[in-house]
Amino acid sequence: MNQGIDLQGSVIQLLVDLGLPPQVAKVIWIPLPMFLMLAVATVGVLVAVWLERKISAAVQQRIGPEYAGPLGVLQPAADGLKLIFKEDIVPTKADPILFTLGPILVVLPVFISYLIVPFGQNLIISDLSIAIFLWIALSSVAPIGLLMAGYSSNNKYSLLGGLRAAAQSISYEIPLALAVLAIVMMSNSLSTIDIVEQQNSYGILGWNVWRQPVGFLIFWICALAECERLPFDLPEAEEELVAGYQTEYAGMKFGLFYVGSYVNLILSALLVSVLYFGGWTLPIPIELIAQWIGVSETTPWFQVIAAVLGITMVLLKTYFFVFLAILLRWTLPRVRIDQLLNLGWKFLLPVGLVNLLLTAALKLAFPFAFGG
């Protein structure tokens, strides 16, 4: 049973049922995905920044934010307000148009990528048949914005940071795409809903991580590099490049880079949980749980509980990978730029190719186990 219902059709049908003409309902729907993406991403960034501060403090045996709200939960909001009201400075010899477009090109593709992420059984903004292809295409736009920001700042540290960011993104996008293509090949679909449904048969044993352990490791390493998280934060290495491509930015332009990095981290954690850890699926199949407690899957109250459990599973899996990324920041030392590029081109790329070819061979040899 396909439980991944397109949210767009559901909302439009609800508006029609309330008495609105279909054309009016479609017009009302148009801005809703943008507001939904902004709301989800904003809440996610606030939570991620708070987690970054508290987990980092725990690793260093500190308390972290404490006075801005209970347990410091309002500290991210205070940081955001500070950036909003700070003066927006453009260097005298900078290119003002490219300087302004850079942060926008970095943030916008990440926000749009949330269109294809299923947060639960019925919670996806648009179930596109080419969702994975769209995400890979959008992720290739961000390096242009980073390079644009570094070049337009008229600062040598910014330029070096932009060049590093572009080189790093290009180096790790290809292995990441190869790892995702192996999942697409097993699922016979580019839809994120179909990929989750394909893992829904055997509970935890049906998750793709067991059939694609190498692909999962490649994806996670490349995701950290794409998000510029330690040990791959070479484009903004403070000890070497001041702040890299962000050096000349202030106010909300700097805030866009700040928001973009955390939105991208949350997106990567969501995609890991969707592609490799079953998304909203439980470790025990929901059908088996229904049999154990002696109810039908179509019972309304059981469907509500199943939906809540599905959303909870997505959030828990996402939190685990955000926690892991923060923990790695204080665990691993930063690599050199030549080591970073060698890892991408000389190790992850050939391993990703072999993994893809091996997946194709196993799919032909064992079609039942590998989605034939």
Side-chain angles (χ1 to χ4, degrees):
M1 180 177 64
N2 189 350
Q3 296 173 317
I5 301 174
D6 189 352
L7 187 60
Q8 176 179 348
S10 301
V11 173
I12 291 176
Q13 186 60 45
L14 176 63
L15 293 175
V16 171
D17 293 341
L18 292 175
L20 293 176
Q23 294 80 6
V24 176
K26 290 180 181 178
V27 171
I28 293 176
W29 164 258
I30 290 173
L32 284 180
M34 292 180 275
F35 290 119
L36 282 173
M37 286 188 294
L38 286 173
V40 170
T42 301
V43 172
V45 167
L46 293 175
V47 173
V49 172
W50 181 78
L51 287 174
E52 178 95 59
R53 289 175 173 269
K54 296 298 282 189
I55 294 171
S56 300
V59 170
Q60 299 172 346
Q61 296 183 340
R62 298 184 288 109
I63 296 176
E66 186 179 10
Y67 299 109
L71 299 176
V73 293
L74 297 181
Q75 188 63 51
D79 295 341
L81 287 174
K82 181 191 75 170
L83 289 173
I84 290 173
F85 289 107
K86 286 192 74 170
E87 182 180 0
D88 183 17
I89 299 172
V90 178
T92 304
K93 296 185 178 181
D95 186 318
I97 297 177
L98 297 182
F99 191 80
T100 303
L101 285 177
I104 297 173
L105 280 181
V106 171
V107 173
L108 198 58
V110 185
F111 275 108
I112 297 175
S113 298
Y114 275 79
L115 281 170
I116 53 96
V117 176
F119 289 88
Q121 294 176 352
N122 304 325
L123 284 178
I124 183 170
I125 296 177
S126 185
D127 181 15
L128 300 176
S129 59
I130 56 167
I132 296 299
F133 178 78
L134 175 66
W135 169 64
I136 293 174
L138 288 171
S139 66
S140 64
V141 176
I144 301 174
L146 298 176
L147 188 59
M148 192 180 294
Y151 167 77
S152 63
S153 297
N154 193 34
N155 180 297
K156 59 183 179 182
Y157 297 114
S158 298
L159 179 59
L160 285 172
L163 291 173
R164 281 187 175 187
Q168 179 170 320
S169 296
I170 293 170
S171 301
Y172 283 84
E173 273 179 8
I174 301 174
L176 184 142
L178 292 175
V180 175
L181 284 175
I183 295 293
V184 170
M185 185 182 296
M186 289 197 311
S187 305
N188 297 317
S189 175
L190 288 164
S191 166
T192 49
I193 291 290
D194 292 342
I195 290 173
V196 175
E197 289 291 339
Q198 181 260 341
Q199 304 173 68
N200 199 21
S201 301
Y202 307 103
I204 192 172
L205 297 178
W207 293 354
N208 283 332
V209 67
W210 308 116
R211 291 176 288 181
Q212 283 289 318
V214 176
F216 161 66
L217 291 175
I218 293 173
F219 185 95
W220 181 237
I221 293 171
C222 293
L224 290 177
E226 289 282 317
C227 297
E228 297 172 11
R229 300 285 305 183
L230 270 164
F232 305 115
D233 67 334
L234 274 299
E236 50 189 85
E238 293 88 354
E239 295 85 349
E240 304 170 28
L241 303 179
V242 188
Y245 55 83
Q246 305 175 17
T247 301
E248 298 292 349
Y249 282 89
M252 269 314 295
K253 289 191 180 76
F254 174 80
L256 286 177
F257 283 123
Y258 191 74
V259 168
S261 64
Y262 282 101
V263 172
N264 202 8
L265 175 63
I266 297 169
L267 176 66
S268 299
L270 282 167
L271 287 173
V272 170
S273 67
V274 166
L275 296 177
Y276 293 96
F277 288 84
W280 66 76
T281 61
L282 304 177
I284 301 174
I286 196 71
E287 297 85 357
L288 194 58
I289 296 176
Q291 291 178 6
W292 284 350
I293 61 178
V295 298
S296 172
E297 292 179 55
T298 58
T299 306
W301 65 265
F302 183 79
Q303 288 184 332
V304 171
I305 293 176
V308 172
L309 286 175
I311 297 170
T312 304
M313 288 303 299
V314 171
L315 295 178
L316 284 176
K317 294 169 186 176
T318 303
Y319 165 75
F320 172 77
F321 287 105
V322 171
F323 172 80
L324 185 60
I326 296 171
L327 196 63
L328 288 173
R329 175 180 177 179
W330 303 105
T331 306
L332 300 176
R334 179 184 296 126
V335 299
R336 297 196 314 266
I337 185 66
D338 62 312
Q339 294 173 330
L340 179 139
L341 296 177
N342 285 337
L343 176 65
W345 288 108
K346 296 182 180 179
F347 182 75
L348 293 180
L349 179 59
V351 171
L353 279 170
V354 171
N355 180 67
L356 183 62
L357 293 174
L358 187 61
T359 302
L362 291 174
K363 181 180 171 67
L364 291 173
F366 307 101
F368 176 78
F370 285 83

